[in-house]
Amino acid sequence: MDFGIKGKWGLVCAGSKGLGRACAESLAEEGVNVVIVARGVEALAETSEHIRSNTNVEVRTVAADITTSEGREEALDACPGELDILINNAGGPPAGDFRDFEVTDWEKALQANMLTPIELIKTVLDGMIERKFGRIVNITSAAVKAPIPILGLSNGARAGLTGFIAGLSRQTPMHNVTINNILPGAFATETMNGRMAAMAKQSDQSIEDVAKSRLKAIPAGRFGEPKEFGQLCAYICSAQASYITGHNFLIDGGVYNGTL
Ligand code: NAP
């Protein structure tokens, strides 16, 4: 199936590794030129080389912190004037007991996982509306649907973004601009490995044991592959997906146990 987005331009935030990288790769496979932002130059170089050697698209990289206004400015400066696709993503906030979180921890979480996507959307949305094409995807978390007790910062900040998007996403589809969220469950990425290592240390278990007990709770019996996530993202960005807006796509191997 041709997704009808060949030659378009996409900005993929936090796109040098994991889920963001998978979105950049899948979009590039559909012929989308990509601007990839992350802080570390090495992973950025490796990812861009990988995409260039597997596709014919143009790849631009920006080494910047997307959660700062300077970083966002650098990212947008590297984009062509006419941006068609925006993938919002950033690292998740740390785990912990909410009693230990200071106001500054909340401010960081809100900045990374709520205000940064909103600021980027504010900058690119009207151009998309004018040109009658736009696809915005926010990478959030399964924790938005089923909160994870030790991830209070993530539960709170991402729920704030989700509420905002629920309202905004109904104001744009008449212009062929859609806004959706993808909610990852457990995917095999650096972030998840880090979280499992922390849990192993905390509970005095091996990482293998922590992984085994996590797998028991996943009906699919495995962790998600980033590619599966990237391909869903590319479909939501396709020309065919113009009638889908304001949705929260949970991709979790069946963990969420609910009828709807
Ligand atoms: P990952 O594999 O660790 O990759 C994170 C990416 O984000 C890297 O490219 C990293 O590059 C970049 N990044 C982090 N902070 C950034 C910043 N301030 N500015 C620019 N780039 C930044 O992580 P992931 O698993 O793909 O996670 C992506 C998002 O999904 C996170 O918010 C995570 O909490 C959420 N999530 C993941 C899972 C999962 O199972 N993997 C589940 C639920 C939610 P640099 O460090 O070089 O900047």
Side-chain angles (χ1 to χ4, degrees):
M1 182 159 141
D2 177 355
F3 280 1
I5 46 178
K6 202 169 176 181
K8 298 214 176 282
W9 273 92
L11 169 61
V12 184
C13 303
S16 68
K17 296 180 192 168
L19 305 178
R21 173 176 172 153
C23 293
E25 286 178 3
S26 291
L27 287 169
E29 281 164 20
E30 293 303 323
V32 175
N33 303 303
V34 285
V35 178
I36 302 173
V37 190
R39 293 161 305 179
V41 285
E42 261 177 50
L44 268 177
E46 200 276 314
T47 298
S48 57
E49 267 324 297
H50 178 85
I51 294 176
R52 281 188 197 106
S53 61
N54 286 290
T55 65
N56 293 319
V57 303
E58 192 174 328
V59 185
R60 298 180 188 168
T61 59
V62 181
D65 183 341
I66 199 68
T67 68
T68 64
S69 53
E70 301 77 33
R72 288 190 289 277
E73 214 173 290
E74 280 179 54
L76 290 164
D77 282 350
C79 295
E82 305 196 341
L83 188 72
D84 307 293
I85 293 169
L86 167 65
I87 311 300
N88 277 316
N89 186 29
D97 186 321
F98 91 97
R99 292 167 190 81
D100 300 326
F101 298 148
E102 304 290 345
V103 168
T104 48
D105 298 314
W106 280 105
E107 283 168 351
K108 268 190 211 155
L110 288 169
Q111 192 56 251
N113 301 116
M114 180 181 175
L115 301 177
T116 288
I118 293 173
E119 280 298 299
L120 286 168
I121 292 171
K122 192 167 93 180
T123 311
V124 304
L125 187 69
D126 288 342
M128 290 177 171
I129 288 175
E130 230 167 78
R131 295 187 298 277
K132 299 276 177 230
F133 184 93
R135 298 288 182 266
I136 299 173
V137 172
N138 304 299
I139 300 181
T140 64
S141 171
V144 170
K145 190 136 170 110
I148 300 168
I150 57 161
L151 292 182
L153 291 171
S154 173
N155 300 338
R158 295 188 200 274
L161 176 67
T162 305
F164 170 75
I165 295 297
L168 183 65
S169 58
R170 270 79 190 184
Q171 299 169 47
T172 63
M174 62 295 276
H175 306 292
N176 191 20
V177 176
T178 67
I179 315 178
N180 292 284
N181 307 314
I182 311 185
L183 288 57
F187 277 78
T189 66
E190 227 175 84
T191 285
M192 198 188 62
N193 291 339
R195 288 215 193 283
M196 288 202 298
M199 281 165 73
K201 202 170 160 195
Q202 211 174 28
S203 57
D204 207 17
Q205 296 178 73
S206 67
I207 297 184
E208 291 71 30
D209 286 342
V210 170
K212 263 191 215 156
S213 67
R214 284 208 69 178
L215 285 173
K216 271 193 208 147
I218 303 176
R222 63 179 177 84
F223 294 122
E225 288 299 328
K227 192 166 182 62
E228 297 172 288
F229 189 96
Q231 287 170 338
L232 173 60
C233 176
Y235 174 70
I236 296 169
C237 294
S238 72
Q240 289 88 341
S242 60
Y243 206 50
I244 301 173
T245 197
H247 276 276
N248 288 283
F249 291 93
L250 184 63
I251 172 164
D252 70 348
V255 172
Y256 181 78
N257 187 11
T259 305
L260 289 175

